[in-house]
Amino acid sequence: MTAPITLVAPFAGWLGLLDEVPDPVFAEAMMGPGLALDPLDGVLRAPADGHVVSLASTGHSITIELANGAQILMHIGIETVALRGAGFAPAVAVGDTVVAGQPLIAFDLDRVAAGARSLITPIVVASPGFALVDPAPAGPVVAGDRLFAVVGESVAQVVDRGGTAQERVVIVGPGHGIHARPAARIAAALAGLAVELTIRGDIRQANARSPVALLTLDARAGDTLVLRAQGPDASRALDAVSALIAAADPDAHELEQAPASASSSGPVCASPGLAVGPIARLRIAHGDVPHDGEGFAVEAGKLAAARKAAAERLGDGGIAVAHRALIGDPEMGALAERHLAEGRSAGWAWRAATQEQADGLRATGNPRLIERIADLTDVAGQVLGELGHGGTLGAVPDGAIVVAEDLLPSQFVTLQRAGRIGGICLSAGGPTSHVAILAAAAGIPMLVVAGSGVLGAADGAVAVLDAGAAQIDFSPTADLIATVQARLAEQGARRAVQHRAAMADAHTACGAQIEVFANCGSAVDARNAVAAGAEGCGLLRSEFLFLDRTDAPGLDEQRATYQAIADAMQGRPLIVRTLDVGADKPLAYVPMPTEENPALGQRGIRLSLARPELMATQLAALVAVQPVGQVRIMAPMVVDRAELRQLRAQVSAAARDAGIETAIAVGVMVETPAAALLADQLAAEADFLSIGTNDLTQYALAADRGNPATAAMIDALHPAVLRLIAQCGIGAAAHGCPVGICGSAAGDPLAVPLLIGLGVSELSVTANRVAATKALLRTITLAEARDIAQAALAADSAADVRALVRARLGDRLQEG
């Protein structure tokens, strides 16, 4: 058995069992063992280090291979292949090396949810000979939380190869081609049959027993495949598999209703934005590469040194990792050595090897694979540069719009270092290429596949690029230039103001102070929050210290951890949620009986009160944090005043034992309808209230977030949830008790005016939402927010509420 490799959550969401997936292919583990994750954010990240071995042409599923050979399939939603790519934006390609946490696919939650049967995402071990061990319990997770481990087993299937090999040609039937579901059915059809069957496409072949290998064929409707079978059951296998391949895709009936993906028949936006400036045609002076070398040993040594030096020059980002993998690719090295053995020079051999690999990618016809040719060209140039044969870029004026056939990542970096790039327009390229990712990260407008006509643009002529509208005007009027320059000036001024204002306290347009805090789960999160302008931490999830271990953290460990986070907050308020675990998030060292409905069981403060030794140690560590008073303590899942009084008594006892006379602020999380309805009683004795909209919504709407049939109902902007928040605001106001929001609704721009209009005075969001939330608040008055909130309370649905806010705020929502 191989050493286990741990997988982490690729996005935030609700973790459940695979048998909860509303699709028998996954629920019955036909694709392999795994878990299911219902997403709460729209970026699928790598669950472990590995490389991409399969990516659906529609962008809805991806498979990565781990270092131990296990292949992990992640399928975003159910029946999402019918969306034909709409709503999905892959950030990687087949062959890319990825690291845990690296973004793989961005997807539009709303758009995908509207067109899919379910958003629930299976994460399965899709290769035979590997097992899933020690799975995490069902419940909420955030990106990076541990999911399960994968180990290799000593399992092999022996197939009797007797008999004559048989071949059959099959045309892929109408529909979506061989994606996850057909691949699983093909593999399942061979179960129990004594046969070895391979399927060959134009350039690849796959073992028909491996669903992942079948995905790598990228076989689409109308493609011709050759089946080759050998063994006693060859004829039966060919009949079964041929029928599955030739049959119409079972999901094809949805094809007419599915939204079409963006067309690539014209210019495509790779990075939105406006630019106006002189055209700069990219010119590269290439060095001469000698054909013949000085012998195999000498040239092999030169090439090895150049590859090593080029790899060492790369940084640590995801693109650098991918390029380093290409430079060190053993197949590229083998191709180069073949040319070296023929007497060629190191430079000539390396260039030839990369060109052969590029030809192989081009032959697939897959646009996303073809985009990776630019990366091959780039690494070829980097190694050639180390050999003294690199090209040099011509000068580009500051603020110019660079026009070229294509642009390599290393060239982009060189241009950036030399001056400011105004925009980029490529006749070729692709929207998911690495240079497109770099441009988007740098905020540089970029158009791709604009056609060869753009290469005739005159150097130095002023052009206007509107990448968001997929347009470039090479002969703009004076009025258009003036208009665009005015818009750019306005945008620049607004961003500069927002950047400066992010470090200032948040307030509404009428001057009312609204605190913008950040949710944290570590000292790193706390540092990021402060850097983003957060005024405090509105929710520190303390259970990160208690989970995934065999014993409870001791007093010294807890105190040191909390102190490090408080230090990172640099004196800002730190609100710590006491241990929030239960049967849905069990602790290995706290025996708990199985509960039929953990969400309504012994969790949160109920468990803490039932296990006083856990609470006592945690409170002793929290009250010891210096300076005294920076830490504010709140308990989860409080229902009534009796539980609050027990918490306050325990905090007072911990402070007294530590000789602390300063009062420690104690608050409660309002996560149950009971707490919202009794907010006036709680506010009379609490120092603050903090509403957890995720659980409050679940309980108010009787909709289990872990149930695919009801998960789509979870929307904190539902009028019923808003009325509970309003009740909480009224009850707290009667006693002058501040109310905050630490659930995900706090970071929703459409929710912000509603929440402050209902009496919320503190919003705790993710660090990357701090600046935008502050900017949006500054455009809204309290009177306006209250008016919008009152109208929302009378709405019929969450959709109506969202439409109402959009209509009232209009362009101001761009600030958020």
Side-chain angles (χ1 to χ4, degrees), residues 164 216 292 301 310 489 622 786:
T164 303
T216 66
D292 297 324
L622 288 171
R786 289 167 182 155

Side-chain angles (χ1 to χ4, degrees), residues 180-198:
R181 184 174 293 130
R185 290 191 173 114
I186 290 170
L190 298 178
L193 297 182
V195 66
E196 183 178 88
L197 194 152
T198 59

Side-chain angles (χ1 to χ4, degrees), residues 51 94 200 331 341 396 416 446 496 537 567 595 612 638 787 800:
H51 66 277
V94 173
R200 187 172 70 250
E331 187 169 342
V396 171
Q416 266 198 312
M446 179 175 174
C537 171
D567 292 344
E595 296 183 338
V638 171
D787 182 58
D800 290 344

Side-chain angles (χ1 to χ4, degrees), residues 676-703:
L677 294 172
L678 297 177
D680 58 335
Q681 295 182 6
L682 294 171
E685 300 188 23
D687 295 305
F688 62 93
L689 304 181
S690 184
I691 302 173
T693 54
N694 299 347
D695 271 325
L696 182 62
T697 302
Q698 174 177 237
Y699 295 135
L701 301 180

Side-chain angles (χ1 to χ4, degrees), residues 794-806:
D796 292 332
S797 67
D800 290 344
V801 171
R802 291 183 177 278
L804 167 70
V805 179
R806 288 191 181 98

